[in-house]
Amino acid sequence: MDRLGASRWLGKDLTRLDSVGSTNQVLRERMRQEEVPAGAAVVAGRQTAGRGRMGRAWWSPPDQGLYVSVLLYPPPLRQGGILSLLAGVALTDAVRTLTGLSPGLKWPNDAVMGGRKYAGILVEGGTDPRPWAIVGMGINVRGTVPEEFPQATTISQQAGREIDREGLWGTLAPALEAWYERWESEGNAPVAEAWRRASVTLGQEVEAWAASGRITGIAEDIAEDGALLIRQGSRCIPVISGEVSLRLANGGYAPES
Ligand code: BTN
């Protein structure tokens, strides 16, 4: 679902900042002060207090990454985990279009290439004054990652040439818009299907830490709401959120392809 060309509404209200605490936080604070249109985006070249999943910090060095947050007003009861899968699918399309490579997705929302993570997605949401979601994406775009971070990479490192952050945003915004509109009109199924095609998680032996504790088994599928279904003998346990690591024979972070 590659859509080249400009987006129509996503990113039209665009705030560009050289350096910021957290792009998610900038949008959140603006929402407290005024009515912010759907698709409003904040793009920064550096974050000093970038936030990751599970309360972690997101290392956001200057010159290397694209740090972007987009405000959406999803239909009530329809957001859940699927929005972060949707963002991953859109990012995968954009990176494929730009590089010709085949990026993968590791459940729930790590974007991977060459067995390493090049981007993470953090979706924050609420219902006041109406259902909202901020999709935050931290994408390692330029340069190379030092050897001491063997689980991380950049798009440029994988492509073997410098990828430009503007070009990535110009491709990502229409891809995200197209997938969001498709989700609004067709529901979760096409997103789940595209996610499955890009998945590096399904079919692997995994270890998950969910609210109920540690679960190990084979990652069999995702449910249509985005939950990971882990096979344990005759039972399939849905994991809605949490941390999942792949138990690969080579001890790597993700499969190479
Ligand atoms: C992860 O833990 O993998 C998700 C990381 C998400 C980081 C992005 S960078 C842009 C946006 N602003 C933040 O503070 N976090 C997200």
Side-chain angles (χ1 to χ4, degrees), residues 63-133:
D63 302 326
Q64 188 160 62
L66 177 70
Y67 311 106
V68 58
S69 297
V70 177
L71 175 66
L72 298 166
Y73 294 110
L77 305 176
R78 282 266 307 273
Q79 54 187 90
I82 200 81
L83 263 187
S84 85
L85 303 196
L86 184 154
V89 164
L91 177 60
T92 300
D93 274 1
V95 173
R96 190 190 304 111
T97 301
L98 275 180
T99 65
L101 298 172
S102 300
L105 292 168
K106 177 175 172 289
W107 193 91
N109 49 15
D110 287 354
V112 298
M113 272 194 287
R116 297 166 178 227
K117 176 168 174 171
Y118 72 89
I121 296 160
L122 174 69
V123 178
E124 298 178 301
T127 51
D128 183 24
R130 59 177 160 138
W132 59 269

Side-chain angles (χ1 to χ4, degrees), residues 20-25 42 47 49-60 66-69 109-111 117 119-124 134-139 243 253:
V20 71
S22 153
T23 53
N24 272 31
Q25 191 58 28
V42 177
Q47 294 185 123
R51 302 202 297 244
R53 290 182 66 242
M54 321 282 286
R56 299 193 190 106
W58 181 256
W59 188 59
S60 313
L66 177 70
Y67 311 106
V68 58
S69 297
N109 49 15
D110 287 354
K117 176 168 174 171
I121 296 160
L122 174 69
V123 178
E124 298 178 301
I134 293 175
V135 177
M137 306 170 91
I139 311 163
E243 193 72 343
Y253 177 75

Side-chain angles (χ1 to χ4, degrees), residues 82 186-190 192 196 222-227 229:
I82 200 81
E186 296 179 41
N188 292 359
R196 286 183 188 106
I222 50 165
E224 246 186 67
D225 65 356
L229 302 172

